[in-house]
Amino acid sequence: MALSKQEVLKVGTLSRIRLTEAEVEKFGTQLSAILGYVDKLRELDTRNVEPLAHALPIHNVLRPDEPRPSLTPEEALGGAPEAAGDFFRVPRVLDEGTSA
Amino acid sequence: MTAELVPTIGLEVHMHLATRSKMFCGCRVAYDARPNSLVCPVCLGMPGVLPVMNKLAVELSVRMALALNCTIPDFAKWDRKHYYYPDLPKNYQISQYDQPLGINGYLDVETPAGTRRIGITRVHLEEDAGKLMHAEHGNYSIVDLNRTGTPLLEVVSEPDVRGAEEARLYAETLRQLAVYLGISYCNMQLGQMRCEPNVSLRIGAGPDGKPLYTPISELKNLNSFRSVERAVTFEIARHRQEYLADPGNYTLAKQGKSTRGWRDDEGISFLQRSKEEAHDYRYLPEPDLVPFVPERAWVEELRKNLPELPRARRERYIKMGLSEETADMLLAEAFVANFWDVFHETLEHHQGAGKWPIKRVLELANNWTLQDVRRALNEKTIDAPSLHAEFAKQLADLVVLVETGVINRNTGAEVFNKMIKAKLDLNPKSAAEIVKEENLAQTSDSSAIEAFVDQALAANAKAVEDYRGGKKASFGRLMGEAMKASGGKANPQLVKEILLKKLGG
Ligand SMILES: [Zn+2]
């Protein structure tokens, strides 16, 4: 199953990656190969198989609600490309908030 | 074409759960901490970390789902919801997509038009994002990730709400329930509760008989009940106007859903994102978290332990003779109402109902300050509700000791403080135990009291002279001295009588 150029560009946009013509070509081929592999799996009859939510056969791994020490702001910001005081500094964002 | 346009509103309400730590890591949840001081590799989204579910957060969510009459499915799982925004360091939010903790419930809401039953589609748990702010100067924004990973409960209603006032009442009722059950503190200024109404108008029916609607607008992040009502009022009027101007085009089928913000100062909504720019969240199962499979017995235990819910309890209080105002005060939080119930019951039990008129019991409860008790025990409100029941009983026992003259009022206050201290030291003691251990019982033996009075008179000849000379204020001084001589334990009424007799007044 080959991906169209539009589809490759959309995936690029969703991932915030700007792609060159050559990259559209290259990633289009690679992504299509992955989808081809998934298509192969699709040939299996899974009508009577429950979808798997998780690869491990365990559930309910919980921790008690007990606070533990956090990093210091200095440590937290240590790896950031840019900081402003105690804050991470990022390019100006105009859109007023995305949902949580 | 019919001109009847029926508002069709659903609400998504987000609440911060009342946990001490975050959803998937041990960072503390707090609102006044230094920026980026409550973060760790897990909530910063560092590679290779492993999130682990907060047990209390899951429990509170299921409790809320049960209180909303939801079905608790046998299987819940976590999903990643992808979007790029600087307040979300992982570039995805852990949420629940198709298998949430609770489904198919309802909430009854009192409205001027009677009780309205609003369907609850689902209750699911997710994590909050951080806070993005715009720098005053300079072309950049700043991010504080302390809030990132705070447990966030989302309650999604069916589009059953029919007006702006009803939308506000629904949100208020939901808040009361959540605060009452200790699910969330719902402080809206702190962002602990946020409302997002979805507004549309039903236009009538299409040729196939199915209802037709105006496009849905989702109003984002309203953080007061007033703005919920105002924004929905505005939006209904706007939809009406747009539809009447262009009935053929202003439909859900043609324009879909858009996201709108609300400018509270101007009282207008504005377009944030149209359908074309809608997010493509690319949900996928979260591989780092295992599913949650609630045990039936555990769910039933939580159901059984739900307190009497606010509506029923309010009715009972009003029948009991309390004013609506008092009832609402007691119902602000379940543990205050529990406290009241146990307190009231203990007093009634002591001497029979007739002996304690409701007004007197309320007065006593207020005198022995519900407020103080609340403050002193605030730390333990969520995880130990039984503590309060036990303490309320002990406090009622203390009131009985005072009211029946075993100890005097001042000693009572002293014992109260000792009880609080003992409780906080995790070595709780009953009032009777403290009175006995410290030998605080009031002396009503008149010969003993006479001795204390004599002692006071002998030591304060000047005050006695003043009193006899007409300076009645000296009586208080002599009274105080006699009480002091008794170590504060004399029955003040008897001291007064004996003192008056001896002074010949
Ligand atoms: Zn953390």
Side-chain angles (χ1 to χ4, degrees), chain A residues 70, chain B residues 22 25-27 38-44:
Chain A
S70 299
Chain B
K22 291 188 181 180
C25 63
C27 290
L38 303 176
V39 293
C40 73
V42 173
C43 55
L44 286 174

Side-chain angles (χ1 to χ4, degrees), chain B residues 426-493:
Chain B
L426 298 180
N427 181 25
K429 283 181 187 165
S430 73
E433 276 169 344
I434 293 172
V435 167
K436 188 160 175 241
E437 269 175 29
E438 311 204 9
N439 192 23
L440 297 172
Q442 170 165 274
T443 306
S444 295
D445 168 356
S446 43
S447 58
I449 291 179
E450 239 182 285
F452 296 136
V453 170
D454 287 341
Q455 213 176 312
L457 293 174
N460 296 280
K462 174 85 171 62
V464 174
E465 204 176 297
D466 287 351
Y467 180 81
R468 293 201 168 120
K471 208 173 152 197
K472 298 292 173 200
S474 300
F475 188 79
R477 165 89 196 278
L478 292 166
M479 176 86 196
E481 290 294 327
M483 285 303 291
K484 206 164 109 191
S486 78
K489 292 189 299 188
N491 178 333
Q493 194 52 42

Side-chain angles (χ1 to χ4, degrees), chain A residues 41-99:
Chain A
L41 294 175
R42 268 199 177 143
E43 289 169 15
L44 290 168
D45 181 358
T46 56
R47 269 172 303 182
N48 296 316
V49 181
E50 285 245 342
L52 191 68
H54 200 272
L56 300 175
I58 48 173
H59 49 74
N60 301 6
V61 178
L62 299 152
R63 43 167 263 276
D65 178 36
E66 278 160 17
R68 290 171 48 179
S70 299
L71 300 173
T72 63
E74 290 73 21
E75 288 168 327
L77 296 166
E82 282 189 287
D86 287 341
F87 295 91
F88 291 94
R89 178 178 159 150
V90 297
R92 190 165 177 84
V93 181
L94 290 173
D95 178 4
E96 278 185 53
T98 317
S99 78

Side-chain angles (χ1 to χ4, degrees), chain A residues 10-11 13-17 51-77 79 82-100, chain B residues 14 19-27 34-39 52-56 75 77 81 83-86 93 126 128 133-135 139-145 220 272-273 279-282 287 289-293:
Chain A
K10 185 176 181 210
V11 173
T13 307
L14 288 173
S15 312
R16 301 293 189 273
I17 298 170
L52 191 68
H54 200 272
L56 300 175
I58 48 173
H59 49 74
N60 301 6
V61 178
L62 299 152
R63 43 167 263 276
D65 178 36
E66 278 160 17
R68 290 171 48 179
S70 299
L71 300 173
T72 63
E74 290 73 21
E75 288 168 327
L77 296 166
E82 282 189 287
D86 287 341
F87 295 91
F88 291 94
R89 178 178 159 150
V90 297
R92 190 165 177 84
V93 181
L94 290 173
D95 178 4
E96 278 185 53
T98 317
S99 78
Chain B
H14 285 96
T19 57
R20 294 189 296 151
S21 68
K22 291 188 181 180
M23 187 62 231
F24 299 115
C25 63
C27 290
R34 187 177 161 196
N36 294 305
S37 66
L38 303 176
V39 293
V52 184
M53 283 178 257
N54 181 328
K55 185 165 182 261
L56 181 62
F75 186 95
K77 77 183 216 311
K81 177 183 177 179
Y83 64 91
Y84 284 79
Y85 209 65
Q93 176 195 28
E126 55 189 30
D128 204 353
M133 288 149 283
H134 306 296
N139 196 27
Y140 61 94
S141 299
I142 54 173
V143 186
D144 173 11
L145 295 178
K220 297 303 282 184
Q272 278 184 326
R273 266 192 307 276
H279 285 300
D280 180 344
Y281 290 123
R282 292 156 295 147
L289 284 161
V290 295
F292 181 66
V293 181

